[in-house]
Amino acid sequence: GQNIDQPTEMTATEGAIVQINCTYQTSGFNGLFWYQQHAGEAPTFLSYNVLDGLEEKGRFSSFLSRSKGYSYLLLKELQMKDSASYLCAVKADSWGKLQFGAGTQVVVTP
Amino acid sequence: DTEVTQTPKHLVMGMTNKKSLKCEQHMGHRAMYWYKQKAKKPPELMFVYSYEKLSINESVPSRFSPECPNSSLLNLHLHALQPEDSALYLCASSQMGVGPGNEKLFFGSGTQLSVL
């Protein structure tokens, strides 16, 4: 079956760095997405990895190792507005059919 | 315009009611999706439309009936729902075709549905 694991919750201080890990076991792999979701709002796209390595986008970076079934999202210079749920999602087979992890709730404290 | 618009934002309905959720996008996306999300859970795929045709139905009960009248609109018709169907219903759209990240989903802000 499909399995995507990420920690339930992480807490960090404003200005710090947090790394959210995601491990996956899926029948296929056609890319991994990270989404941010504030409570009661729609998920918004953060990053996409399909090849091994690091993708950097401002304060957010995402890493992928396909051989290890592993990805992480790195949030730098944390701000209070970064408090949200971060969803790891794998495109395992057909287009558009994303399998989501349960999400990691990041709490940023002053 | 990079928005997916969903209406209504909130909906309360009884188990005998019939209601519809609406979704609209003007990004030229030819794939549109319905997801269901319970509190503190990830979104779960319900339906996928590509080029206005239903291509994926994730074994969703028939009390949920999707409709895609044209390439910009997606509806979800609700009838005889159960209290356990209460959830956030998210619409999304994406491009189709080759190219990395073409399947990036743009989500609407959702309809919070309560079934009494």
Side-chain angles (χ1 to χ4, degrees):
Chain A
Q2 320 276 41
N3 205 32
I4 300 174
D5 290 316
Q6 48 182 131
T8 304
E9 186 171 312
M10 302 182 76
T11 301
T13 308
E14 200 173 6
I17 298 173
V18 70
Q19 177 175 314
I20 306 170
N21 296 324
C22 172
T23 57
Y24 63 89
Q25 289 177 303
T26 55
S27 54
F29 182 82
N30 285 288
L32 187 143
F33 296 77
W34 283 97
Y35 282 83
Q36 179 192 60
Q37 187 176 26
H38 287 98
E41 297 182 11
T44 55
F45 170 81
L46 290 179
S47 70
Y48 171 76
N49 295 72
V50 67
L51 300 176
D52 291 351
L54 188 67
E55 294 281 341
E56 296 188 85
K57 210 187 256 191
R59 294 190 298 115
F60 293 176
S61 302
S62 58
F63 171 84
L64 175 68
S65 169
R66 288 171 296 170
S67 62
K68 295 182 180 177
Y70 167 70
S71 173
Y72 68 72
L73 180 69
L74 194 69
L75 313 181
K76 304 175 197 172
E77 300 167 19
L78 278 173
Q79 302 175 7
M80 297 301 290
K81 66 179 182 180
D82 297 329
S83 292
S85 181
Y86 291 83
L87 300 163
C88 173
V90 174
K91 180 173 168 289
D93 39 45
S94 57
W95 48 266
K97 189 172 177 178
L98 292 185
Q99 181 78 25
F100 283 88
T104 298
Q105 185 66 43
V106 171
V107 178
V108 181
T109 59
Chain B
D1 183 0
T2 59
E3 279 194 352
V4 177
T5 304
Q6 286 188 247
T7 56
K9 292 195 183 304
H10 301 275
L11 179 63
V12 179
M13 61 186 290
M15 289 188 285
T16 58
N17 292 158
K18 283 186 181 180
K19 298 285 184 183
S20 296
L21 309 184
K22 297 187 182 300
C23 174
E24 188 169 2
Q25 58 88 14
H26 296 286
M27 294 178 278
H29 290 169
R30 301 309 296 273
M32 296 186 77
Y33 313 79
W34 281 114
Y35 280 84
K36 173 183 175 179
Q37 186 176 27
K38 297 280 233 179
K40 299 187 186 296
K41 298 288 187 184
E44 295 178 359
L45 183 66
M46 299 175 73
F47 302 104
V48 182
Y49 272 82
S50 61
Y51 297 103
E52 297 89 68
K53 293 193 188 310
L54 182 65
S55 54
I56 296 177
N57 177 342
E58 290 288 284
S59 302
V60 179
S62 60
R63 58 185 183 269
F64 296 91
S65 175
E67 178 197 19
C68 190
N70 60 54
S71 61
S72 299
L73 295 175
L74 185 67
N75 299 322
L76 186 63
H77 303 297
L78 314 172
H79 174 55
L81 294 194
Q82 304 296 310
E84 59 263 29
D85 296 323
S86 297
L88 180 68
Y89 288 84
L90 294 164
C91 173
S93 70
S94 71
Q95 296 175 349
M96 291 186 66
V98 298
N102 265 1
E103 301 85 4
K104 179 174 76 175
L105 297 181
F106 290 79
F107 284 91
S109 56
T111 294
Q112 188 64 54
L113 174 68
S114 296
V115 182
L116 304 178

